[in-house]
């Protein structure tokens, strides 16, 4: 058995100001949170080229922009349900939207547009998160309401420069956050309702190998949500419902536990800071972004062109 990993306490980087909190009924919250109050629900942290941290506010369709000193403003707002996101090379933002599919938001103009609305003439279940390969290939998850009762979640890819949407894997009980390993030979995929991280091997031509398997089996909470990866292939896993973020070695050993003083909805993470050795992550239900020092710098996030 593994010994319990050391535990540290995260500190607050930014709490969404009261002036931005909305105490109203939300269709998204009534389903996803069983009617619980959601004045803000944060996910999708990503840094822009100036060091500002952007996060999504799913029920109220906002993208918050947080300065390096923790000051928050609304950077973009539209009619959707934004979840995971990444910056494109031209400064626009590619967003996984639970309601609209894959959309592109342009903070410079305040406008948005569809990238992909559906696959083979059918709507997405509910797009969740994405990652970008060094060659510009984009991988994203389509989660919807999938789970063990109905394991119909999917993993998609768009090859760089082709505009072609490919289904790589289906039959997943709630695919969520995802990253590529350093060699880009496998996708490490958070499967929330299986409470596990799957390894999805990729062949040289990018096709999925048949031997998809469990890399890390977790317990408790609601399951893994967002993931991030460092330069040594150590994996950060946000354990939603558990109120902690875990760091696992590239062999799957637990190395570190990061706790928060309030809330259990630890959902998504991104590396940042001057040396890229600070982990920033969302505690969604309290509308708080936390930060914690990490032993190894995070992997570079590649921008893409679409």
């Amino acid at each position: 058995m593994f010994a319990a990993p050391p535990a540290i306490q995260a500190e607050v980087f930014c709490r969404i100001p009261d002036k931005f909190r909305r105490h109203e009924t939300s269709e998204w919250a009534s389903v996803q949170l069983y009617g619980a109050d959601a004045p803000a629900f944060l996910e999708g942290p990503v840094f822009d080229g100036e060091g500002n941290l952007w996060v999504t506010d799913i029920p109220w369709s906002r993208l918050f922009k947080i300065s390096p000193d923790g000051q928050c403003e609304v950077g973009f707002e539209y009619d959707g349900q934004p979840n995971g996101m990444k910056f494109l090379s031209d400064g626009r933002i590619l967003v996984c939207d639970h309601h609209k599919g894959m959309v592109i938001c342009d903070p410079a103009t305040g406008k948005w547009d569809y990238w992909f609305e559906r696959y083979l003439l059918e709507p997405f279940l509910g797009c969740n998160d994405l990652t970008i390969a060094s060659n510009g290939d984009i991988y994203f998850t389509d989660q919807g309401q999938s789970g063990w009762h109905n394991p119909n979640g999917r993993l998609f890819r768009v090859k760089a420069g082709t505009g072609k949407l490919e289904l790589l894997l289906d039959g997943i009980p709630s695919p969520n956050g995802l990253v590529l390993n350093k060699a880009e030979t496998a996708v490490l995929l958070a499967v929330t309702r299986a409470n596990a991280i799957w390894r999805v091997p990729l062949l040289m031509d990018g096709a999925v190998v048949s031997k998809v398997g469990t890399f890390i089996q977790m317990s408790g909470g609601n399951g893994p949500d967002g993931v991030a990866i460092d330069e040594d292939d150590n994996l950060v896993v946000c354990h939603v419902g558990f109120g902690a973020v875990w760091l696992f070695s590239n062999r799957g050993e637990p190395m570190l536990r990061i706790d928060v003083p309030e809330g259990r909805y630890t959902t998504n993470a991104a590396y940042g800071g001057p040396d890229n050795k600070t982990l920033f992550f969302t505690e969604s239900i309290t509308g708080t972004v936390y930060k914690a020092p990490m032993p190894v710098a995070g992997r570079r996030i590649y921008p893409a062109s679409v």
Side-chain angles (χ1 to χ4, degrees):
M1 295 180 63
F2 294 121
I8 62 173
Q9 187 91 344
E11 63 177 283
V12 173
F13 171 62
C14 175
R15 182 178 172 87
I16 299 302
D18 289 342
K19 64 181 179 180
F20 294 136
R21 293 173 180 264
R22 298 178 60 173
H23 298 276
E24 308 169 35
T25 300
S26 162
E27 180 184 16
W28 180 89
S30 68
V31 174
Q32 298 291 94
L33 302 178
Y34 311 105
D37 187 34
F41 194 94
L42 307 183
E43 293 210 19
V46 65
F47 284 92
D48 65 18
E50 298 177 351
N52 301 299
L53 180 65
W54 293 67
V55 295
T56 57
D57 179 20
I58 303 176
W60 306 116
S61 194
R62 298 176 292 188
L63 310 184
F64 286 117
K65 178 183 177 182
I66 306 172
S67 66
D69 63 354
Q71 300 302 304
C72 178
E73 62 181 273
V74 177
F76 195 89
E77 191 167 5
Y78 71 113
D79 179 22
Q81 294 173 355
N83 203 318
M85 61 181 174
K86 293 289 187 291
F87 273 92
L88 299 173
S89 57
D90 60 7
R92 295 179 300 163
I93 309 173
L94 180 59
V95 180
C96 296
D97 190 291
H98 189 87
H99 174 57
K100 295 184 179 297
M102 299 297 293
V103 304
I104 296 176
C105 298
D106 188 350
T109 64
K111 297 179 180 179
W112 71 273
D113 201 357
Y114 290 104
W115 189 42
F116 285 100
E117 289 184 75
R118 54 187 183 171
Y119 173 68
L120 295 180
L121 305 181
E122 295 184 346
F124 291 115
L125 303 172
C127 295
N128 188 280
D129 208 350
L130 75 155
T131 194
I132 304 172
S134 59
N135 68 352
D137 291 352
I138 298 171
Y139 298 78
F140 67 89
T141 52
D142 185 27
Q143 182 191 68
Q145 300 300 310
S146 61
W148 278 128
H149 70 295
N150 186 20
N152 62 344
R154 301 178 290 185
L155 171 65
F156 287 98
R157 181 186 59 196
V158 180
K159 292 287 289 181
T162 68
K164 181 182 178 182
L165 180 62
E166 302 173 329
L167 176 61
L168 295 184
L169 189 66
D170 59 7
I172 312 171
S174 195
N176 205 319
L178 68 166
V179 291
L180 289 159
N181 65 348
K182 192 169 187 176
E184 300 193 345
T185 56
V187 175
L188 298 175
L189 175 64
V191 183
T192 305
R193 302 302 177 257
N195 217 346
I197 304 294
W198 286 7
R199 181 191 282 113
V200 183
L202 303 172
L203 292 174
M204 294 300 292
D205 64 359
V208 176
V209 175
S210 60
K211 295 182 180 179
V212 176
T214 300
F215 176 53
I216 299 169
Q217 183 63 62
M218 306 177 71
S219 64
N222 297 350
D225 193 320
V227 292
I229 197 163
D230 70 20
E231 290 289 354
D232 289 347
D233 266 352
N234 303 315
L235 187 69
V236 168
V237 179
C238 297
H239 201 167
V240 68
F242 199 92
V245 175
W246 304 89
L247 178 66
F248 293 92
S249 76
N250 54 34
R251 297 194 297 178
E253 302 167 290
M255 298 172 62
L256 181 67
R257 170 176 166 169
I258 306 170
D259 289 316
V260 295
E262 180 186 12
R264 293 188 177 185
Y265 278 76
T266 39
T267 51
N268 283 191
Y271 280 90
D275 55 3
N276 214 32
K277 291 180 68 175
T278 302
L279 189 73
F280 295 80
F281 63 93
T282 49
E283 199 298 312
S284 299
I285 205 73
T286 62
T288 306
V289 179
Y290 286 93
K291 65 178 182 178
M294 301 299 284
V296 178
R299 184 88 48 78
R300 177 189 173 191
I301 297 177
Y302 297 93
S305 299
V306 299

